[in-house]
Amino acid sequence: MPETKPHIAIISASVREGRVSHRVALFFNKFLTDKGLATSEILDLNEYQFPIFNERLRFQKSPSEKVLEFAGKIKSADGVIIVTPEYNGGYPASLKNVVDLLYDEWHHKPIAIATVSNGAFGGTQVITSLQFSLWKIRAIVVPATFPCPEADKNFGPDGSNDKEFDNKRAAGFIKELLWFIESERRMKS
């Protein structure tokens, strides 16, 4: 029986006006599709506009349709790429909100982190705090990261990037995520 391609949910974490990090989410969506590596979809937190966290999903008496839809998409994804900007050395409240909202959905879910900034360090200061939060909820955090410095110059509004260096880094980043997805699949069988 032929093995199905993995499905990867790409979380675009910024809800900020004029956000640049969404370009990187678009880039990965196109990269995965064009290379035929996986199916993918972008879960744009700007479109969801979740209210401020007040309780984990499993304890909510009547969760909204949007919350249930989002939780279902995370649960059914084989892996997740989180694309997050760095704000003042941390990740945005919109992302912390959904990390805390779910729990079982993150359990043993392979997650790769792409960080974005317009500065020279590519959002690397956010990696450690996000990794720690994901570890605490039992996600499998992929060691490879994808910092994107000067994202406003390196990624077009449609996610385009013709730089060989970035495409080579993306290939290694995705290869590692796919390895963890395959490992998780084998552990379940």
Side-chain angles (χ1 to χ4, degrees):
M1 179 193 313
E3 196 168 312
T4 59
K5 288 182 185 176
H7 182 71
I8 298 174
I10 303 166
I11 297 176
S12 182
S14 179
V15 297
R16 190 178 193 175
E17 227 174 278
R19 62 195 175 150
V20 174
S21 61
H22 189 67
R23 297 176 183 194
V24 178
L26 292 168
F27 166 77
F28 276 115
N29 196 41
K30 184 173 176 10
F31 187 90
L32 290 165
T33 304
D34 288 355
K35 304 281 186 200
L37 299 170
T39 61
S40 61
E41 68 180 313
I42 295 176
L43 303 180
D44 185 352
L45 297 186
N46 193 43
E47 290 178 12
Y48 281 97
Q49 289 292 316
F50 290 123
I52 298 293
F53 173 79
N54 63 2
E55 186 56 84
R56 286 200 190 279
L57 172 59
R58 65 183 175 173
F59 299 123
Q60 290 182 15
K61 289 183 175 58
S62 46
S64 74
E65 292 280 329
K66 282 185 152 188
V67 166
L68 293 173
E69 173 192 304
F70 183 83
K73 288 182 179 209
I74 294 298
K75 182 86 172 165
S76 66
D78 296 302
V80 175
I81 296 172
I82 294 176
V83 179
T84 183
E86 178 186 305
Y87 298 153
N88 303 315
Y91 55 98
S94 54
L95 180 56
K96 180 69 169 138
N97 206 30
V98 298
V99 167
D100 290 343
L101 175 67
L102 307 179
Y103 190 75
D104 294 332
E105 294 82 358
W106 299 121
H107 186 207
H108 288 170
K109 184 71 63 183
I111 300 176
I113 301 170
T115 57
V116 180
S117 84
N118 290 341
F121 299 110
T124 55
Q125 292 181 6
V126 77
I127 294 170
T128 306
S129 59
L130 182 53
Q131 283 174 328
F132 185 76
S133 293
L134 294 169
W135 289 331
K136 292 294 285 183
I137 55 175
R138 304 176 305 156
I140 299 170
V141 183
V142 174
T145 59
F146 193 85
C148 301
E150 299 182 334
D152 57 331
K153 296 176 187 146
N154 293 322
F155 295 87
D158 61 352
S160 58
N161 179 315
D162 59 1
K163 294 181 175 16
E164 185 178 334
F165 175 72
D166 285 332
N167 282 277
K168 188 174 181 178
R169 283 188 326 119
F173 176 72
I174 295 299
K175 182 178 179 182
E176 187 137 339
L177 174 59
L178 293 174
W179 186 90
F180 276 86
I181 289 171
E182 179 59 27
S183 297
E184 178 61 14
R185 280 182 171 180
R186 288 180 185 207
M187 291 300 292
K188 285 181 179 176
S189 59

